[in-house]
Amino acid sequence: MKIGIIGATGYGGLELIRLLHNHPEAQYIDLFTSSEEGIQFSNKYTHLMNIYDQALLPIEHNRLTGYDVIFTSTPSGVSSEILPSLIGRGPKLIDLSGDFRLKNPIDYEQWYQKTPAPLDAIDRSVYGLTEWNEALINQASLIANPGCYPTAVLLSLLPLLKENLIDGENLIIDAKSGVSGAGNKPSQMTHFSETNENTAIYKIHQHQHIPEIEQAISMFAGITSPITFTTHLVPMTRGILATSYASLKPNVNEKQLISALKETYANHPFVRIIEQSNKFGTNQVYGSNFCDIHVKVDPRTNRATIVSVIDNLVKGAAGQAIQNMNVQFNLNQTTGLQQVPLFI
Amino acid sequence: MKIGIIGATGYGGLELIRLLHNHPEAQYIDLFTSSEEGIQFSNKYTHLMNIYDQALLPIEHNRLTGYDVIFTSTPSGVSSEILPSLIGRGPKLIDLSGDFRLKNPIDYEQWYQKTPAPLDAIDRSVYGLTEWNEALINQASLIANPGCYPTAVLLSLLPLLKENLIDGENLIIDAKSGVSGAGNKPSQMTHFSETNENTAIYKIHQHQHIPEIEQAISMFAGITSPITFTTHLVPMTRGILATSYASLKPNVNEKQLISALKETYANHPFVRIIEQSNKFGTNQVYGSNFCDIHVKVDPRTNRATIVSVIDNLVKGAAGQAIQNMNVQFNLNQTTGLQQVPLFI
Amino acid sequence: MKIGIIGATGYGGLELIRLLHNHPEAQYIDLFTSSEEGIQFSNKYTHLMNIYDQALLPIEHNRLTGYDVIFTSTPSGVSSEILPSLIGRGPKLIDLSGDFRLKNPIDYEQWYQKTPAPLDAIDRSVYGLTEWNEALINQASLIANPGCYPTAVLLSLLPLLKENLIDGENLIIDAKSGVSGAGNKPSQMTHFSETNENTAIYKIHQHQHIPEIEQAISMFAGITSPITFTTHLVPMTRGILATSYASLKPNVNEKQLISALKETYANHPFVRIIEQSNKFGTNQVYGSNFCDIHVKVDPRTNRATIVSVIDNLVKGAAGQAIQNMNVQFNLNQTTGLQQVPLFI
Amino acid sequence: MKIGIIGATGYGGLELIRLLHNHPEAQYIDLFTSSEEGIQFSNKYTHLMNIYDQALLPIEHNRLTGYDVIFTSTPSGVSSEILPSLIGRGPKLIDLSGDFRLKNPIDYEQWYQKTPAPLDAIDRSVYGLTEWNEALINQASLIANPGCYPTAVLLSLLPLLKENLIDGENLIIDAKSGVSGAGNKPSQMTHFSETNENTAIYKIHQHQHIPEIEQAISMFAGITSPITFTTHLVPMTRGILATSYASLKPNVNEKQLISALKETYANHPFVRIIEQSNKFGTNQVYGSNFCDIHVKVDPRTNRATIVSVIDNLVKGAAGQAIQNMNVQFNLNQTTGLQQVPLFI
């Protein structure tokens, strides 16, 4: 397979390179950039010396059509300009940005404050939540790879919502993320001295992943109801932990929740239901493509606390993108993605 | 004032020493220990050299009665044995542990898994949430200083509950804490390599601060309803951020919430309502006795997200204990507690 | 005392505010800025709400002469333009930048790559290493406050060099710093995701503190010899640990080194010699004005390892600046500087 | 290949499992324990669920002889009792502890304060610094896998010492390590709240890796001279950065140092010489088996600063152990070890 990556200098791009380097079907990988053409990539990122020493290539339409897959890992508003003209022209397209995720362009405009992608391109895009959309992904020309937060939230809630075990009307979701989710561009928000030894809430009620989660709950579980979703920055680099709170439907118990999760993911190697745990955290999955889920019902309130963890750069970005590529090319989903969590 | 501290080698004790060292009324401070009698304290904790070089004293009843104040900062089940016989014998007693907080001994037994304090001692104890209980604290012989999580949660929710602005029936509280809350005793849970780069949920639905919060909501706002309260460890030393979710009562808006908070705390120097913020975090209050509160209503769901931050070792422990001492001795509440947050 | 701070929005400035807020002689404090005039400071830095709510003032020469002290905490090349015309016009001047530290303007040009301050202003400036220059500081109009690294290094080495106990010809100094030393301006170098979980060496042999250390060794110990000095960034916010290596002079032993240090600093409350220690680190002094020193001789090599720790923002910047102000105004050196180290 | 791991519950063991899981020749892996026999490993370490779900086996001599390789990753003093009777009985033995590294048992006794291994076993052991001892490793029955610090130090210094480019008489080596090097057993030294926001020096002049480094310098470069070597704990989990200082031999320049390093490692894929760098740190190699080296000569002092970084758990322990196994079994050295550094 010939693979092209646009936006390789961001963290999503770096993680694609890290994972694809050992992917057995990745014959060669080219990196494209809008601004650093000609630079030897391992001079910019010396940790890639002897691993990826090629020069960055300029983004040219004609050149791009020669690849089997093109990944775009670009800021909002970029891939919506690059990808539409490539649909159906050869390469499978996998977009890690939010440009093709929201089916309603008005939502995109409102939450991203940018011009949406062309409507027909949005229509042809397939939401790449692998475990829930495998058939369509397999046929898709353009995949809208899910956001990091939505991946953690949806994988844990969809089975329970779809099987009518929890109440979808009053979902409260409290998410905590490592700082790498904010990308590689320095800012006051990600400045070490103001991020270290600090846990902070940000973008309250305004995070662009809110409509994405709601759309997917509607799409896969048929429930249309606004959610409360907040995001917090914690002083670590990788990892998302999402804690969701939901009332149980009548006569539902913890055992049923666990069973529903286990059955849903019985044949999905990257989602694990963890039952035993007195401390359940993001180091469970560090550096790997796993999404681990833990559920507890509180008999005092009849509410469930549903916790899920992912590595935001792997299952929440590059890993799931490669998983989707595997599905598109009829490879085993785990091909190139069997990294064991680092834990420590 | 002659001050005694029992349990000085723990983090609560260390923080009492740090703050009392510059308290203008703290004439002298003695430290008591059950196990390290005779040790020069600054040999054990060299950061206190030239600051506190005295030797640790054994815990002896007769000796203790000679102090104006005794602080106990001991593990659960210790102060319930030491303090009852000292009530009314001279010193004001301020207990930083959970031994005298829960009025119902059955709750203590259930949540702490230990033998409760004698009932009459519990009855005489006053809950030391300073801003809400000043009159009783002023007269109290024995103060049950609040837990770190309850302090952060209650200061932000009580005004809104008491004024009937939010629904007390379905409170969801998601709290994140630095690791110092777990004390100075090494364990796998606080081992650096498994705590760093890890955000984890622990003790789901089983944290002993749940009944404390519920009791205080009942006591100060008259609402009796079980809460959902979860606790998370984030990789930092100090700080608690509590994110609470509540439905608004009919016809209530964000402005009213902010007004209620501002009015409640108009004359309380340690509680600040922060309106402007695109990143609101624990570094707001690092090393200080402040509790900062930020509120946002989501018009899409008609729910409020109420966020509060404290330094768990200061306002969540030693600082509030000294604030209570100030109230008991008719000093200005801010005496010795005007540390500016470190922020960086 | 009327105090003015120029460059208040940087970390040096923030730390001056933090410490001066509780200084008993600081009657009022005004903040000056070149770019954010009129902004209420506590709107920018909400952790200062109710503590410092005044607006930022523009930098105007006439206005500045009315203060008792002016602190400048500005990037290189700024105070050299502001301060010369203020010398002898009323306020005592204390510069936290490097603009007046190097007596030879050629050194400044070479190491800072900027235009040096006017020669007569440099001549009149006094190097503010308090423990070593008290008499001149007391009389000085303009104080060049030492750099953070030089403070840690010089306080530990000068007594041993001056008393001819160690060899000054082959000093190797390996310094490790928290990230706050790089200031508040975001950059790739201080971007959380590339700084966290990373210990890095930077500016090898090119750090501008090298000539400052060499000049002070010459000035206070009479030794003129180039040093090897390297700087490392470690993933923490505050603190410097400097490890220095030196050969012993003939017939010198560890006891003599310790005695020399103890005698030198017998009447200097902020320098502590720590003898017992199996783990000696920066948390010894966190948030305080102490410089702690630990020395060990290796009988196998006849070399001494000399370790010192400071809080780079306190003893390495704002704290020492205030200590110098105290000396200038004949106050007790510890006035307003008795913060106990946070340790945890 | 049938692989046995003794001491699997420590961090060295966990890292062996992480890396061997994707090693193409590792047919099956059994874990042995002295204390937790029968426990399902993924119940203890839930991050290994679906990856390694087997039960821990008891350590029994007869059982162990059936393996192709036995790794021991045990505390000092354990493998010296287990391995001697297995030498020559079938399995290749690779010991990650220090029990067989020091050829002189008196050194072991002095630095480890424990009983040394039997002399004939020590004699038969081969020091597993792969790049420097490949021929002997290939034939070895028992490999003494190098310590983490020695690996980082030796790979960077040996080429320069061997080719007589730097002075071996006065080496100063200042090493900084992440906390995982201290293993998985909780202690005050590794307690999060006292380790976070703290850089500390420990075991000054007493680290057991000192004689190991000196022995290897003698063995591979023929220089016998005591070194000054200190170790520091920095608040991160993984990574070692070693900064070494040496005088240049007459007429030697930086270019020669770089050439010597490049030539030495021209055919060694895991050692990289990094020339360009304004910030050179441990994230270069995070999670990988690389050792990266950076050298700068200071023309002012004619001394070289030689910096090397490794992941202490990979190249400093499990990775190098597997590299040695590859050499023993005539596999390509990089087999199973091509993980790309995580960097972020």
Side-chain angles (χ1 to χ4, degrees), chain C residues 105-122:
Chain C
I106 292 167
D107 285 344
Y108 183 87
E109 246 179 309
Q110 180 192 329
W111 292 88
Y112 285 82
Q113 308 281 336
K114 295 212 167 151
T115 306
L119 198 53
D120 57 332
I122 296 177

PDB file of all heavy atoms in Angstrom, chain C residues 105-122:
ATOM      1  N   PRO C 105      30.649  45.268  28.739  1.00  0.00           N
ATOM      2  CA  PRO C 105      29.573  45.306  27.746  1.00  0.00           C
ATOM      3  C   PRO C 105      29.801  44.359  26.566  1.00  0.00           C
ATOM      4  O   PRO C 105      28.843  43.908  25.944  1.00  0.00           O
ATOM      5  CB  PRO C 105      29.550  46.765  27.277  1.00  0.00           C
ATOM      6  CG  PRO C 105      30.701  47.441  27.909  1.00  0.00           C
ATOM      7  CD  PRO C 105      31.289  46.570  28.953  1.00  0.00           C
ATOM      8  N   ILE C 106      31.055  44.034  26.310  1.00  0.00           N
ATOM      9  CA  ILE C 106      31.327  43.085  25.222  1.00  0.00           C
ATOM     10  C   ILE C 106      30.783  41.702  25.570  1.00  0.00           C
ATOM     11  O   ILE C 106      30.266  40.988  24.720  1.00  0.00           O
ATOM     12  CB  ILE C 106      32.847  43.037  24.931  1.00  0.00           C
ATOM     13  CG1 ILE C 106      33.274  44.383  24.329  1.00  0.00           C
ATOM     14  CG2 ILE C 106      33.191  41.897  23.981  1.00  0.00           C
ATOM     15  CD1 ILE C 106      34.770  44.583  24.286  1.00  0.00           C
ATOM     16  N   ASP C 107      30.922  41.335  26.825  1.00  0.00           N
ATOM     17  CA  ASP C 107      30.336  40.063  27.258  1.00  0.00           C
ATOM     18  C   ASP C 107      28.827  40.064  27.043  1.00  0.00           C
ATOM     19  O   ASP C 107      28.250  39.097  26.563  1.00  0.00           O
ATOM     20  CB  ASP C 107      30.615  39.819  28.759  1.00  0.00           C
ATOM     21  CG  ASP C 107      32.059  39.403  29.006  1.00  0.00           C
ATOM     22  OD1 ASP C 107      32.742  39.021  28.037  1.00  0.00           O
ATOM     23  OD2 ASP C 107      32.494  39.472  30.176  1.00  0.00           O
ATOM     24  N   TYR C 108      28.200  41.170  27.416  1.00  0.00           N
ATOM     25  CA  TYR C 108      26.745  41.249  27.257  1.00  0.00           C
ATOM     26  C   TYR C 108      26.359  41.063  25.798  1.00  0.00           C
ATOM     27  O   TYR C 108      25.473  40.291  25.448  1.00  0.00           O
ATOM     28  CB  TYR C 108      26.214  42.585  27.774  1.00  0.00           C
ATOM     29  CG  TYR C 108      24.708  42.694  27.705  1.00  0.00           C
ATOM     30  CD1 TYR C 108      23.915  42.219  28.747  1.00  0.00           C
ATOM     31  CD2 TYR C 108      24.071  43.241  26.596  1.00  0.00           C
ATOM     32  CE1 TYR C 108      22.524  42.295  28.688  1.00  0.00           C
ATOM     33  CE2 TYR C 108      22.685  43.328  26.517  1.00  0.00           C
ATOM     34  CZ  TYR C 108      21.912  42.861  27.575  1.00  0.00           C
ATOM     35  OH  TYR C 108      20.549  42.933  27.522  1.00  0.00           O
ATOM     36  N   GLU C 109      27.054  41.784  24.948  1.00  0.00           N
ATOM     37  CA  GLU C 109      26.755  41.686  23.523  1.00  0.00           C
ATOM     38  C   GLU C 109      26.915  40.259  23.004  1.00  0.00           C
ATOM     39  O   GLU C 109      26.101  39.764  22.226  1.00  0.00           O
ATOM     40  CB  GLU C 109      27.686  42.617  22.741  1.00  0.00           C
ATOM     41  CG  GLU C 109      26.941  43.755  22.084  1.00  0.00           C
ATOM     42  CD  GLU C 109      27.878  44.680  21.340  1.00  0.00           C
ATOM     43  OE1 GLU C 109      28.873  45.109  21.959  1.00  0.00           O
ATOM     44  OE2 GLU C 109      27.592  44.962  20.169  1.00  0.00           O
ATOM     45  N   GLN C 110      27.989  39.633  23.465  1.00  0.00           N
ATOM     46  CA  GLN C 110      28.280  38.288  22.964  1.00  0.00           C
ATOM     47  C   GLN C 110      27.274  37.250  23.461  1.00  0.00           C
ATOM     48  O   GLN C 110      26.796  36.418  22.700  1.00  0.00           O
ATOM     49  CB  GLN C 110      29.698  37.904  23.418  1.00  0.00           C
ATOM     50  CG  GLN C 110      30.125  36.520  22.953  1.00  0.00           C
ATOM     51  CD  GLN C 110      31.390  36.068  23.671  1.00  0.00           C
ATOM     52  OE1 GLN C 110      32.240  36.873  24.052  1.00  0.00           O
ATOM     53  NE2 GLN C 110      31.507  34.763  23.863  1.00  0.00           N
ATOM     54  N   TRP C 111      26.944  37.299  24.751  1.00  0.00           N
ATOM     55  CA  TRP C 111      26.112  36.246  25.334  1.00  0.00           C
ATOM     56  C   TRP C 111      24.619  36.535  25.217  1.00  0.00           C
ATOM     57  O   TRP C 111      23.812  35.611  25.205  1.00  0.00           O
ATOM     58  CB  TRP C 111      26.490  36.023  26.797  1.00  0.00           C
ATOM     59  CG  TRP C 111      27.862  35.429  26.975  1.00  0.00           C
ATOM     60  CD1 TRP C 111      29.038  36.098  27.075  1.00  0.00           C
ATOM     61  CD2 TRP C 111      28.199  34.030  27.039  1.00  0.00           C
ATOM     62  NE1 TRP C 111      30.088  35.230  27.208  1.00  0.00           N
ATOM     63  CE2 TRP C 111      29.601  33.940  27.201  1.00  0.00           C
ATOM     64  CE3 TRP C 111      27.466  32.838  26.999  1.00  0.00           C
ATOM     65  CZ2 TRP C 111      30.279  32.729  27.315  1.00  0.00           C
ATOM     66  CZ3 TRP C 111      28.133  31.626  27.116  1.00  0.00           C
ATOM     67  CH2 TRP C 111      29.522  31.572  27.266  1.00  0.00           C
ATOM     68  N   TYR C 112      24.245  37.825  25.180  1.00  0.00           N
ATOM     69  CA  TYR C 112      22.818  38.157  25.081  1.00  0.00           C
ATOM     70  C   TYR C 112      22.415  38.511  23.655  1.00  0.00           C
ATOM     71  O   TYR C 112      21.234  38.619  23.368  1.00  0.00           O
ATOM     72  CB  TYR C 112      22.477  39.310  26.027  1.00  0.00           C
ATOM     73  CG  TYR C 112      22.399  38.914  27.476  1.00  0.00           C
ATOM     74  CD1 TYR C 112      23.540  38.798  28.269  1.00  0.00           C
ATOM     75  CD2 TYR C 112      21.156  38.641  28.069  1.00  0.00           C
ATOM     76  CE1 TYR C 112      23.459  38.427  29.599  1.00  0.00           C
ATOM     77  CE2 TYR C 112      21.072  38.278  29.405  1.00  0.00           C
ATOM     78  CZ  TYR C 112      22.229  38.177  30.173  1.00  0.00           C
ATOM     79  OH  TYR C 112      22.136  37.813  31.490  1.00  0.00           O
ATOM     80  N   GLN C 113      23.396  38.758  22.812  1.00  0.00           N
ATOM     81  CA  GLN C 113      23.113  39.133  21.425  1.00  0.00           C
ATOM     82  C   GLN C 113      22.224  40.384  21.363  1.00  0.00           C
ATOM     83  O   GLN C 113      21.312  40.465  20.548  1.00  0.00           O
ATOM     84  CB  GLN C 113      22.430  37.973  20.679  1.00  0.00           C
ATOM     85  CG  GLN C 113      23.161  36.647  20.767  1.00  0.00           C
ATOM     86  CD  GLN C 113      24.339  36.563  19.806  1.00  0.00           C
ATOM     87  OE1 GLN C 113      24.356  37.263  18.795  1.00  0.00           O
ATOM     88  NE2 GLN C 113      25.341  35.762  20.129  1.00  0.00           N
ATOM     89  N   LYS C 114      22.482  41.325  22.243  1.00  0.00           N
ATOM     90  CA  LYS C 114      21.718  42.564  22.265  1.00  0.00           C
ATOM     91  C   LYS C 114      22.655  43.726  22.590  1.00  0.00           C
ATOM     92  O   LYS C 114      23.798  43.527  23.001  1.00  0.00           O
ATOM     93  CB  LYS C 114      20.618  42.501  23.333  1.00  0.00           C
ATOM     94  CG  LYS C 114      19.564  41.452  23.035  1.00  0.00           C
ATOM     95  CD  LYS C 114      18.194  41.849  23.546  1.00  0.00           C
ATOM     96  CE  LYS C 114      17.162  40.920  22.927  1.00  0.00           C
ATOM     97  NZ  LYS C 114      15.999  40.729  23.787  1.00  0.00           N
ATOM     98  N   THR C 115      22.135  44.940  22.417  1.00  0.00           N
ATOM     99  CA  THR C 115      22.915  46.124  22.741  1.00  0.00           C
ATOM    100  C   THR C 115      23.027  46.271  24.257  1.00  0.00           C
ATOM    101  O   THR C 115      22.024  46.208  24.965  1.00  0.00           O
ATOM    102  CB  THR C 115      22.201  47.374  22.186  1.00  0.00           C
ATOM    103  OG1 THR C 115      21.975  47.157  20.802  1.00  0.00           O
ATOM    104  CG2 THR C 115      23.040  48.621  22.400  1.00  0.00           C
ATOM    105  N   PRO C 116      24.240  46.479  24.757  1.00  0.00           N
ATOM    106  CA  PRO C 116      24.407  46.607  26.215  1.00  0.00           C
ATOM    107  C   PRO C 116      23.863  47.933  26.745  1.00  0.00           C
ATOM    108  O   PRO C 116      23.630  48.881  26.002  1.00  0.00           O
ATOM    109  CB  PRO C 116      25.914  46.510  26.414  1.00  0.00           C
ATOM    110  CG  PRO C 116      26.534  46.807  25.102  1.00  0.00           C
ATOM    111  CD  PRO C 116      25.522  46.509  24.037  1.00  0.00           C
ATOM    112  N   ALA C 117      23.678  48.001  28.060  1.00  0.00           N
ATOM    113  CA  ALA C 117      23.259  49.232  28.734  1.00  0.00           C
ATOM    114  C   ALA C 117      24.398  50.251  28.674  1.00  0.00           C
ATOM    115  O   ALA C 117      25.557  49.892  28.433  1.00  0.00           O
ATOM    116  CB  ALA C 117      22.907  48.923  30.188  1.00  0.00           C
ATOM    117  N   PRO C 118      24.089  51.535  28.885  1.00  0.00           N
ATOM    118  CA  PRO C 118      25.144  52.567  28.911  1.00  0.00           C
ATOM    119  C   PRO C 118      26.190  52.224  29.973  1.00  0.00           C
ATOM    120  O   PRO C 118      25.845  51.768  31.071  1.00  0.00           O
ATOM    121  CB  PRO C 118      24.388  53.842  29.285  1.00  0.00           C
ATOM    122  CG  PRO C 118      22.952  53.572  28.961  1.00  0.00           C
ATOM    123  CD  PRO C 118      22.742  52.103  29.087  1.00  0.00           C
ATOM    124  N   LEU C 119      27.443  52.509  29.650  1.00  0.00           N
ATOM    125  CA  LEU C 119      28.537  52.069  30.503  1.00  0.00           C
ATOM    126  C   LEU C 119      28.466  52.663  31.911  1.00  0.00           C
ATOM    127  O   LEU C 119      28.733  51.984  32.901  1.00  0.00           O
ATOM    128  CB  LEU C 119      29.873  52.425  29.828  1.00  0.00           C
ATOM    129  CG  LEU C 119      31.088  51.681  30.351  1.00  0.00           C
ATOM    130  CD1 LEU C 119      30.884  50.173  30.324  1.00  0.00           C
ATOM    131  CD2 LEU C 119      32.326  52.045  29.537  1.00  0.00           C
ATOM    132  N   ASP C 120      28.092  53.948  32.007  1.00  0.00           N
ATOM    133  CA  ASP C 120      28.076  54.544  33.350  1.00  0.00           C
ATOM    134  C   ASP C 120      26.990  53.925  34.227  1.00  0.00           C
ATOM    135  O   ASP C 120      27.151  53.790  35.439  1.00  0.00           O
ATOM    136  CB  ASP C 120      27.915  56.072  33.267  1.00  0.00           C
ATOM    137  CG  ASP C 120      26.660  56.464  32.517  1.00  0.00           C
ATOM    138  OD1 ASP C 120      26.221  55.684  31.636  1.00  0.00           O
ATOM    139  OD2 ASP C 120      26.091  57.527  32.818  1.00  0.00           O
ATOM    140  N   ALA C 121      25.896  53.523  33.586  1.00  0.00           N
ATOM    141  CA  ALA C 121      24.858  52.854  34.366  1.00  0.00           C
ATOM    142  C   ALA C 121      25.349  51.489  34.843  1.00  0.00           C
ATOM    143  O   ALA C 121      25.152  51.097  36.002  1.00  0.00           O
ATOM    144  CB  ALA C 121      23.591  52.699  33.533  1.00  0.00           C
ATOM    145  N   ILE C 122      26.026  50.773  33.950  1.00  0.00           N
ATOM    146  CA  ILE C 122      26.596  49.481  34.361  1.00  0.00           C
ATOM    147  C   ILE C 122      27.560  49.699  35.520  1.00  0.00           C
ATOM    148  O   ILE C 122      27.550  48.951  36.502  1.00  0.00           O
ATOM    149  CB  ILE C 122      27.332  48.820  33.171  1.00  0.00           C
ATOM    150  CG1 ILE C 122      26.336  48.484  32.050  1.00  0.00           C
ATOM    151  CG2 ILE C 122      28.052  47.561  33.621  1.00  0.00           C
ATOM    152  CD1 ILE C 122      26.989  47.882  30.811  1.00  0.00           C
TER     153      ILE C 122
END
